[in-house]
Amino acid sequence: MKLLLTLLLWVNFAGTPDLASIRKMYSDVAKSETNAKDFVAKLAGVSNNDDKILVAYKAASILVDSKFEKKLGQKMERFKEGAKLLEATIKSDPSNIEMRMIRLSVQEDVPSITGYKKNIKEDKKFITTYYASQSAALKDYLKDFVLQSKSFSEKEKQFVK
């Protein structure tokens, strides 16, 4: 009970997380259950009315966290919740390259059985097409993602170098 109360108070007073800290955490979120839970907690206060990029990260946090659920029903429910939120967020701003990167990063790591690998080619093409027109900070972030991504071949990775 104390833990729940502490978490609720932390979320209420922590406010909306800053994008730079979220980006920093995101690269390691899938590496452990602790990282995933910390990421979910950091984004717990984000609502659908907040910055759409933060909402996309919240959706990704739900998707990544779903892999650590113990019960299959809960795992599937959380996964569907995260995928639905991410798709709705991207639909609200389909030209946002960072949200496309988030979806690509999720889709390249989910099992094929989920059926959620349908946008990989589309998102890769979007990222390669619009990469050059992004801010320097976003380019650096995208570059880090592309260079470690399983979806881009070595030849395809040349556009960020």
Side-chain angles (χ1 to χ4, degrees):
M1 186 65 160
K2 286 182 183 179
L3 178 62
L4 180 60
L5 182 59
T6 303
L7 181 60
L8 288 173
L9 287 173
W10 181 82
V11 167
N12 286 334
F13 292 112
T16 305
D18 68 295
L19 189 55
S21 68
I22 294 302
R23 285 175 175 166
K24 188 173 182 179
M25 288 179 79
Y26 190 64
S27 62
D28 294 327
V29 75
K31 292 181 180 175
S32 74
E33 184 173 2
T34 301
N35 291 357
K37 298 293 182 196
D38 289 347
F39 197 61
V40 168
K42 180 99 172 167
L43 292 161
V46 173
S47 76
N48 291 355
N49 298 325
D50 286 326
D51 180 340
K52 292 300 179 194
I53 295 174
L54 289 176
V55 176
Y57 279 112
K58 181 175 183 166
S61 77
I62 295 167
L63 284 157
V64 171
D65 188 48
S66 73
K67 95 178 194 183
F68 297 108
E69 288 289 340
K70 305 299 182 230
K71 296 181 180 174
L72 182 59
Q74 289 175 326
K75 183 181 290 249
M76 289 172 45
E77 187 177 308
R78 290 284 284 167
F79 185 87
K80 287 177 184 177
E81 175 190 355
K84 183 179 177 182
L85 180 58
L86 184 55
E87 290 305 315
T89 305
I90 291 172
K91 188 176 182 179
S92 73
D93 187 3
S95 63
N96 187 298
I97 196 170
E98 188 165 359
M99 291 192 298
R100 297 287 193 111
M101 183 226 59
I102 294 166
R103 179 169 65 185
L104 177 58
S105 71
V106 167
Q107 288 186 353
E108 69 182 15
D109 284 335
V110 297
S112 296
I113 196 167
T114 64
Y116 194 57
K117 287 187 170 273
K118 59 187 175 194
N119 306 100
I120 291 176
K121 287 181 182 177
E122 171 191 340
D123 290 342
K124 271 178 48 176
K125 182 174 172 58
F126 190 89
I127 290 168
T128 56
T129 301
Y130 296 103
Y131 173 81
S133 63
Q134 304 307 307
S135 69
L138 186 52
K139 275 181 168 175
D140 285 343
Y141 183 61
L142 291 168
K143 178 181 177 180
D144 289 343
F145 167 73
V146 168
L147 292 177
Q148 62 78 40
S149 174
K150 302 173 203 170
S151 297
F152 292 89
S153 69
E154 289 304 315
K155 183 178 180 184
E156 291 172 322
K157 291 178 182 184
Q158 296 305 310
F159 80 94
V160 297
K161 291 184 179 180

